[in-house]
Amino acid sequence: MSASTPAPASSKSVPRPSGPQASSSSTPADLELEQLLSREASAFQRELEVERILKAFKLNPYDILDLDETAKPEDIKRKYRQLSLFIHPDKTPHPRASDAFDILKKAEAELSETPKRAELDATIASARSTLLRSLSLPPNLTDDDPRIKNLASDPTMVAQGLTTPWKLMLREKIKEVLIDEELRRRKAIKMNLANEGLEARKKEEEVASRKRKAEEDKTWEETRESRVDSWRSFNNTSKKKKKSKIAILG
């Protein structure tokens, strides 16, 4: 082959240029296909997010919104707005998108109410302290402490079979504590309802007793004349019998 002969073209395909040049060289069919794939990918991601919300632990709004307990109020509102638009039933083909939307809305409402969030944060803090004490660690450690960061690889923890990362351990402990509190709350409500039902039955019995007494008094008054007439009739009959006996004896 002479030096002037051009080298053969490579058998590898040349990557398509990106940016404006790619758009200008793409055919309408290519652009339509890219848009279709983009829409399908977006729809798939929306459905995945719906599933995540449906499977999230319902007693912990932070889990539902996929937020940390240190999130600021503006972070909560921003995350809620993003997720609510992303999984909105009008934009998501998932059959339970409306359920996920309602769960998301409830979680945001609970974290937006200062008393409810304060109560939740106190419960989470209590669960955290309990877990740290169970691991023989100071209850005031922060997540950036090396003892927490290296917890799963600590020889003492490994010897005890505790190789679960801290975040997972804490999440499970929070879940356990929240479930216990919810059970106690439901039990208290049930007892209150039982007590209220008992009080209601007592009141109903008192009302029924007063009603019976009033009806008995009314009946007694309505039959007064007939009772008086019966007594008079009986009294007169007795007097006549006495007179007839005296006459016979005389």
Side-chain angles (χ1 to χ4, degrees):
M1 184 179 294
S2 63
S4 60
T5 305
S10 172
S11 60
K12 294 182 180 179
S13 60
V14 179
R16 180 182 296 173
S18 59
Q21 185 178 355
S23 299
S24 60
S25 62
S26 300
T27 65
D30 291 337
L31 292 175
E32 185 178 352
L33 178 59
E34 288 177 2
Q35 292 174 357
L36 177 61
L37 292 175
S38 177
R39 285 197 300 270
E40 289 182 350
S42 177
F44 180 67
Q45 290 169 351
R46 293 175 194 273
E47 292 198 13
L48 286 180
E49 185 60 21
V50 169
E51 287 292 335
R52 184 197 68 79
I53 293 173
L54 291 173
K55 293 176 181 178
F57 182 47
K58 302 303 182 293
L59 296 179
N60 191 347
Y62 291 113
D63 276 1
I64 296 170
L65 288 165
D66 197 20
L67 285 171
D68 192 77
E69 292 81 13
T70 59
K72 298 178 180 178
E74 54 268 26
D75 297 331
I76 294 171
K77 291 185 179 299
R78 181 166 53 250
K79 189 62 177 289
Y80 167 71
R81 179 168 175 78
Q82 291 172 351
L83 291 179
S84 63
L85 290 174
F86 190 63
I87 67 156
H88 196 280
D90 293 341
K91 299 180 180 180
T92 310
H94 197 290
R96 295 192 61 195
S98 58
D99 294 336
F101 187 83
D102 291 340
I103 292 171
L104 194 68
K105 186 176 182 179
K106 182 181 178 183
E108 189 272 339
E110 290 179 353
L111 291 181
S112 296
E113 291 186 27
T114 303
K116 283 190 175 182
R117 184 179 181 185
E119 183 179 351
L120 176 63
D121 289 347
T123 301
I124 291 175
S126 175
R128 179 190 179 88
S129 299
T130 302
L131 178 59
L132 286 170
R133 282 194 295 268
S134 70
L135 298 172
S136 301
L137 293 171
N140 57 348
L141 287 185
T142 57
D143 286 351
D144 56 357
D145 191 288
R147 286 171 289 182
I148 286 183
K149 285 185 175 180
N150 304 322
L151 192 62
S153 58
D154 183 271
T156 305
M157 298 295 111
V158 173
Q160 299 178 39
L162 301 174
T163 57
T164 305
W166 165 252
K167 285 288 185 182
L168 292 179
M169 292 175 66
L170 180 59
R171 177 175 291 183
E172 288 302 313
K173 188 63 178 178
I174 291 172
K175 183 176 181 179
E176 176 188 329
V177 172
L178 287 174
I179 289 175
D180 287 343
E181 285 206 351
E182 178 65 12
L183 291 175
R184 283 196 295 269
R185 186 186 70 84
R186 293 185 182 185
K187 185 177 180 180
I189 291 175
K190 189 175 181 180
M191 290 180 65
N192 288 337
L193 290 175
N195 291 334
E196 289 175 3
L198 181 61
E199 290 297 323
R201 285 195 296 273
K202 286 183 178 179
K203 289 181 180 180
E204 290 175 358
E205 290 174 359
E206 290 175 0
V207 171
S209 178
R210 288 196 295 268
K211 186 177 180 181
R212 285 196 302 270
K213 182 68 168 58
E215 291 176 351
E216 290 172 356
D217 292 344
K218 181 180 179 182
T219 303
W220 178 264
E221 290 297 326
E222 289 176 349
T223 59
R224 178 186 294 273
E225 289 299 326
S226 61
R227 290 199 312 276
V228 171
D229 291 341
S230 297
W231 170 250
R232 287 174 179 170
S233 175
F234 173 77
N235 196 31
N236 291 335
T237 303
S238 298
K239 289 180 179 179
K240 289 180 180 179
K241 287 182 178 180
K242 285 182 180 179
K243 287 181 179 180
S244 62
K245 286 182 180 180
I246 293 171
I248 293 171
L249 290 173

